[in-house]
Amino acid sequence: MTNKIVVLGFPRIGEKRELKTALENYWKGNIPLNELESVASELRLKHWIFQRNAGIETVAVNDFSFYDNTLDLMIALGAEPERFRDITNATQRYFTMARGDDTHIAMEMTKWFNTNYHYIVPELGMNFIFGTVCANKILGEYREAKANGFIGAIQLIGPITFLGLSKCSDDVALALFDKLLEQYSNLLDEMVALDENIEIVMHEPFLSTGADAGQLSLVKIAYKRLGTLSQNLSVATYFEHSCEATAVLVHTPIKGLILDFVHGVKNSESLELLGKSDKHVTVGIVDGRNVWKNNLEQSLKTLEHIETYIPKERLSIGTSCSLLHVPYTLKHEENLEVNVQELLAFAQEKLGELSLLGKAFFAHEKIAFPSHPKSTVDEVVQSRLNTLSPNDFKRSHPYAVRQMSACDAFDLPPLPTTTIGSFPQTAEVRALRQEFKKGLISKEIYDEAMKNRIASCVAFQESIDLDVLVHGEFERNDMVEYFGEQLSGFAFSQNGWVQSYGSRCVKPPLLYGDVSRPRAMTVEWSTYAQSLTDRPMKGMLTGPVTILNWSFVRDDQPRSLTATQIALAIRDEVDDLQRAGIKMIQVDEAAFKEGYPLRRENRAEYEKWALNSFLLSTAVADKDTQIHTHMCYSEFTDIIKTIEAMDADVISIETSRSGNRLLRIFKESGYTQEVGPGVYDIHSPRIPSVEEMKNQIHALLEVLPASQLWINPDCGLKTRGWSETEAALKNMVEATKVVRVTL
Ligand code: GLN
Ligand code: ZN
């Protein structure tokens, strides 16, 4: 019997983030390992029961992890880095790889494709030596499911993706490939030895990024071999289509393919080929990485269309990817407005959707689907969108003119010093905000307290002689949430947590409707701060692309259109700020690069609308308003032209860890505007000396002229303590002064 409904994974963190609590308690030494393990088993069992209740016959197994599935896989494959092998206790070794300790630096973590989940990057090199494989965790969970009456489908990251994730060079990948495949084969042998019908799902999202000929030949070799070892092995791809790989995979002995028809609609171009093959096809039709209800009517039509190519006996339906990327349940949401609540489906509700679709499609039950809810339309926003003209995306004066007027207006010394915006968010500041949110203190008291923080922050900046000041962002918990809370079209769940990495969860805003700005959001704080000083005060805003990329975004219209709406709201804020006398305005695009599409061929389109959104939000600035932007990256090679087109008067970037290598990209591209390459790393509490920063500034001057350079830390200071912040900034200003006299 074949499983008709398939789930590629369930959120493991728990309904009330039980796993987070247990993990953190275990790390603190408050609970023993067996208590952590029993929390984990309870969670797994609960999630399997949910799946069975939705009509799923083969439940997802090995989707669970104490930290990260890629890390688990390293252990299974005997691919732990050499440098951790001195730790004899396996559990201790596992968590040390993830988190580091006094003698081991933690392994690198990076984003899982275009999601906000972070995986641990395998450390592979030319002469990497694999240890023995270890299937204990995988088989343990499989047996656990069985003991509870469930048949498990083992979820495992596949070899092509494993190599892709490790970011190793093609040479290394080729050199290690045979051995890696042998490790996978050994692992599979152990699984098949336990049960010859064991179902295995190989996750190969890397194939959705557009595999080249070399990679495709590896796909062929890998799955010819692995597909022979197990009669029940499928390959899953997601986040995009994977047509190139499908064309190869249909000629391998695997049993089936699991394809994303939500984010990879182009997979439909493979339907004919799939139809002619003998493969089983699982249609990923319920969005595993967004929070909105499925349009069941429409999904049923898609399935019926697919059925014209592939007979029903060879079809299943499923989530587009693991449900790891969405919150757990809507059950505990009590504060959402009805019109927002009715748009949503979290992980548990998505299981319900699959179940309904399964009944309608496979069992031909006549189901009257509830009508698909629509987001509310804001006529004012719509009419503004209709009247946009090309001039709205262009500053009124060219950079050269703006620069001259800035020169007169601000009268800054060469190498002006500034910061990126936030100052330390102390426990005390956070407590104040919490009390205010809970209604425990009045707005008057809260405002007064915040103003005190601003005043002392301004006084400090003046005392160390910084040239361009900021108010410190004490009123902000998070650079996106702060704006989302004040804009129409956004809602915030109470429990909409998703795992970001390890025990860390985030609760992204729900961008559900037309976006507008009922009132100014930052003007009061910025003008108050400006009133305290004669030096320029930067207004601080988060850019439209970053707001978009860090939210769950409505899926009933193109993202580009939603970005345009946000841009209009930010534009109004820029205008209000400049009218109120704030003449330097920083529009942060920390997450600009995060929205890059997985496939190269889609990048140009993204760049175009993302750029336009930034331009729309900033082009309202007058000739004498200086626009700054900030980006948290050190990889600009491929986007430097886009950065240039953003036409910001000043851009600050995260270079401190890559020295002036990055700056050369600006020089080589002929970038003319001003750049503030971070001169020290704010991610560490270390206080760089005057000497060190002086050398750093000299190094920058070897690449770009003083007239083009600003001096600043490489990101906001909110995660730092006050004492190190004071010391580091003092040294930074002093180093700048020492260099200035040599100019
Ligand atoms: N202005 C923001 C801050 O200083 C920028 C944060 C960021 O780049 N992530 O906190
Ligand atoms: Zn930053």
Side-chain angles (χ1 to χ4, degrees):
M1 182 168 209
T2 344
N3 200 19
K4 286 300 178 190
I5 307 179
V6 172
V7 180
L8 293 175
F10 198 80
R12 54 204 176 219
I13 205 75
E15 184 162 354
K16 302 211 163 82
R17 287 182 290 159
E18 293 90 335
L19 183 60
K20 174 192 175 68
T21 312
L23 275 170
E24 291 173 0
N25 275 329
Y26 172 73
W27 292 334
K28 282 188 209 134
N30 295 344
I31 60 166
L33 183 60
N34 63 9
E35 205 171 316
L36 173 63
E37 277 167 346
S38 73
V39 170
S41 324
E42 275 168 36
L43 287 173
R44 287 191 292 261
L45 179 59
K46 193 169 159 190
H47 304 161
W48 290 330
I49 294 174
F50 287 158
Q51 292 170 52
R52 175 154 67 200
N53 290 347
I56 293 171
E57 289 161 20
T58 316
V59 297
V61 159
N62 198 41
D63 58 336
F64 182 83
S65 177
F66 276 123
Y67 205 96
D68 167 50
N69 299 110
T70 311
L71 180 60
D72 298 340
L73 179 61
M74 283 181 240
I75 306 219
L77 291 171
E80 298 114 309
E82 182 74 42
R83 63 193 183 91
F84 293 98
R85 292 185 190 172
D86 63 309
I87 307 173
T88 45
N89 178 292
T91 312
Q92 195 192 341
R93 184 166 62 244
Y94 178 83
F95 286 125
T96 307
M97 285 163 71
R99 309 173 68 229
D101 66 11
D102 292 344
T103 48
H104 302 81
I105 297 172
M107 294 181 73
E108 187 193 337
M109 232 172 5
T110 196
K111 286 191 184 238
W112 176 250
F113 301 90
N114 54 4
T115 73
N116 196 26
Y117 175 77
H118 297 69
Y119 72 92
I120 297 190
V121 183
E123 288 175 18
L124 302 178
M126 208 42 151
N127 300 314
F128 186 81
I129 308 212
F130 287 89
T132 43
V133 301
C134 170
N136 289 354
K137 174 191 181 272
I138 302 171
L139 298 184
E141 282 175 30
Y142 183 80
R143 286 197 193 96
E144 183 185 56
K146 196 160 184 178
N148 284 295
F150 294 92
I151 308 168
I154 292 172
Q155 312 293 316
L156 198 66
I157 294 166
I160 309 298
T161 298
F162 183 73
L163 283 175
L165 295 178
S166 76
K167 303 202 255 179
C168 63
S169 67
D170 287 355
D171 287 351
V172 172
L174 268 181
L176 298 182
F177 185 69
D178 285 345
K179 181 62 185 163
L180 178 67
L181 213 51
E182 193 181 315
Q183 300 295 90
Y184 268 98
S185 304
N186 293 342
L187 212 51
L188 255 58
D189 283 343
E190 286 200 41
M191 298 182 213
V192 176
L194 185 69
D195 175 352
E196 61 172 351
N197 287 319
I198 201 162
E199 192 170 328
I200 302 166
V201 178
M202 288 290 202
H203 289 228
E204 290 284 19
F206 190 76
L207 298 177
S208 301
T209 63
D212 62 27
Q215 287 158 342
L216 290 176
S217 68
L218 299 186
V219 172
K220 192 166 172 179
I221 298 169
Y223 286 99
K224 271 200 160 158
R225 175 143 170 209
L226 302 180
T228 326
L229 293 178
S230 143
Q231 45 182 303
N232 212 348
L233 181 142
S234 310
V235 173
T237 68
Y238 35 83
F239 304 144
E240 249 299 351
H241 78 85
S242 55
C243 289
E244 308 89 344
T246 298
V248 172
L249 286 167
V250 289
H251 300 297
T252 65
I254 63 170
K255 188 192 79 178
L257 286 99
I258 300 172
L259 302 172
D260 181 345
F261 279 81
V262 179
H263 298 277
V265 278
K266 269 207 169 163
N267 274 323
S268 60
E269 290 176 9
S270 297
L271 285 175
E272 209 176 314
L273 187 66
L274 288 164
K276 286 186 196 139
S277 77
D278 61 346
K279 303 299 173 220
H280 191 91
V281 177
T282 300
V283 181
I285 191 90
V286 167
D287 197 342
R289 56 174 301 184
N290 211 340
V291 292
W292 316 108
K293 264 191 188 144
N294 189 276
N295 188 336
L296 298 168
E297 202 89 47
Q298 201 180 306
S299 294
L300 190 59
K301 285 205 184 104
T302 305
L303 293 172
E304 283 161 359
H305 170 73
I306 292 173
E307 196 194 353
T308 61
Y309 293 91
I310 307 167
K312 221 170 234 174
E313 307 79 66
R314 278 204 283 128
L315 285 176
S316 295
I317 60 170
T319 50
S320 68
C321 60
S322 166
L323 291 168
L324 173 73
H325 309 289
V326 292
Y328 197 97
T329 179
L330 276 169
K331 215 161 66 192
H332 308 296
E333 298 304 329
E334 282 147 10
N335 296 343
L336 289 170
E337 307 258 349
V338 190
N339 64 325
V340 179
Q341 180 104 17
E342 70 175 12
L343 296 170
L344 295 165
F346 292 173
Q348 243 191 307
E349 292 77 28
K350 283 176 193 291
L351 291 182
E353 294 182 333
L354 273 178
S355 161
L356 269 186
L357 265 180
K359 285 181 187 151
F361 184 62
F362 292 114
H364 300 286
E365 280 184 31
K366 278 270 158 285
I367 294 178
F369 290 135
S371 64
H372 192 62
K374 284 199 170 54
S375 344
T376 33
V377 178
D378 183 329
E379 295 300 345
V380 181
V381 175
Q382 294 298 327
S383 80
R384 270 187 94 181
L385 289 171
N386 291 332
T387 51
L388 285 176
S389 82
N391 276 340
D392 295 327
F393 297 82
K394 224 176 119 212
R395 295 283 297 268
S396 57
H397 293 76
Y399 175 64
V401 176
R402 285 162 10 217
Q403 192 191 24
M404 253 159 36
S405 101
C407 210
D408 295 344
F410 301 124
D411 192 26
L412 295 170
L415 304 174
T417 52
T418 190
T419 62
I420 305 304
S422 58
F423 268 75
Q425 283 266 336
T426 55
E428 188 210 355
V429 170
R430 283 196 299 267
L432 268 170
R433 218 177 21 239
Q434 279 306 315
E435 282 169 29
F436 175 53
K437 275 197 171 174
K438 286 188 188 141
L440 300 175
I441 54 172
S442 68
K443 181 162 167 25
E444 287 69 34
I445 293 182
Y446 175 74
D447 285 359
E448 200 49 40
M450 285 295 145
K451 283 185 174 172
N452 287 337
R453 297 295 170 298
I454 293 175
S456 59
C457 184
V458 171
F460 164 71
Q461 295 172 78
E462 282 196 325
S463 78
I464 61 163
D465 209 12
L466 273 162
D467 301 305
V468 171
L469 312 193
V470 298
H471 74 287
E473 300 181 24
F474 302 107
E475 76 287 10
R476 303 180 192 179
N477 162 39
D478 171 275
M479 65 188 289
V480 170
E481 188 179 278
Y482 179 74
F483 291 94
E485 279 178 342
Q486 300 186 73
L487 291 167
S488 308
F490 284 82
F492 291 84
S493 63
Q494 274 171 290
N495 285 294
W497 297 102
V498 287
Q499 197 172 0
S500 172
Y501 61 86
S503 68
R504 202 185 134 80
C505 300
V506 294
K507 194 151 64 67
L510 310 170
L511 204 182
Y512 69 92
D514 283 352
V515 176
S516 65
R517 188 198 67 143
R519 61 191 71 82
M521 303 180 281
T522 64
V523 176
E524 210 184 310
W525 302 119
S526 288
T527 49
Y528 171 70
Q530 181 69 85
S531 75
L532 303 171
T533 178
D534 294 331
R535 303 181 188 222
M537 176 63 57
K538 273 195 285 188
M540 283 294 157
L541 304 176
T542 301
V545 185
T546 297
I547 293 180
L548 187 87
N549 285 342
W550 281 345
S551 301
F552 278 122
V553 181
R554 59 191 288 189
D555 61 357
D556 59 344
Q557 66 180 25
R559 286 172 78 82
S560 55
L561 189 56
T562 308
T564 312
Q565 295 184 357
I566 309 171
L568 283 171
I570 301 298
R571 178 184 178 92
D572 293 346
E573 190 72 14
V574 168
D575 201 20
D576 279 350
L577 280 170
Q578 68 181 353
R579 283 168 199 270
I582 304 295
K583 299 296 185 179
M584 284 190 190
I585 301 170
Q586 181 172 312
V587 180
D588 289 327
E589 283 294 16
F592 192 88
K593 248 190 119 175
E594 282 174 28
Y596 269 65
L598 283 184
R599 289 183 160 262
R600 200 160 280 281
E601 66 265 27
N602 299 333
R603 291 205 181 150
E605 191 202 337
Y606 170 79
E607 284 186 338
K608 190 168 160 218
W609 64 253
L611 169 65
N612 275 336
S613 307
F614 180 82
L615 290 172
L616 180 61
S617 66
T618 52
V620 70
D622 296 331
K623 174 182 72 163
D624 56 354
T625 299
Q626 192 174 58
I627 293 290
H628 292 229
T629 188
H630 167 70
M631 288 189 167
C632 302
Y633 294 108
S634 46
E635 246 332 309
F636 285 91
T637 329
D638 49 341
I639 61 163
I640 188 73
K641 286 291 153 205
T642 305
I643 304 284
E644 216 169 329
M646 286 169 77
D647 200 19
D649 299 298
V650 183
I651 179 171
S652 59
I653 49 180
E654 191 182 290
T655 39
S656 69
R657 280 181 288 187
S658 43
N660 56 9
R661 185 180 58 82
L662 166 62
L663 214 48
R664 293 194 192 280
I665 297 162
F666 283 79
K667 185 193 171 99
E668 279 155 20
S669 84
Y671 193 83
T672 54
Q673 283 148 258
E674 293 170 29
V675 190
V679 294
Y680 79 89
D681 177 11
I682 62 94
H683 304 89
S684 140
R686 203 175 70 86
I687 300 163
S689 66
V690 174
E691 188 63 20
E692 191 180 330
M693 283 198 265
K694 200 188 79 188
N695 293 339
Q696 176 76 10
I697 299 170
H698 276 302
L700 299 175
L701 283 166
E702 281 171 26
V703 187
L704 287 182
S707 58
Q708 230 182 319
L709 285 172
W710 284 61
I711 306 299
N712 45 257
D714 73 348
C715 197
L717 299 161
K718 74 174 181 195
T719 56
R720 296 270 60 90
W722 263 106
S723 67
E724 72 232 30
T725 297
E726 284 177 355
L729 289 178
K730 246 188 209 152
N731 288 355
M732 183 185 89
V733 174
E734 209 177 310
T736 309
K737 287 183 176 169
V738 175
V739 178
R740 263 180 208 151
V741 293
T742 68
L743 292 176

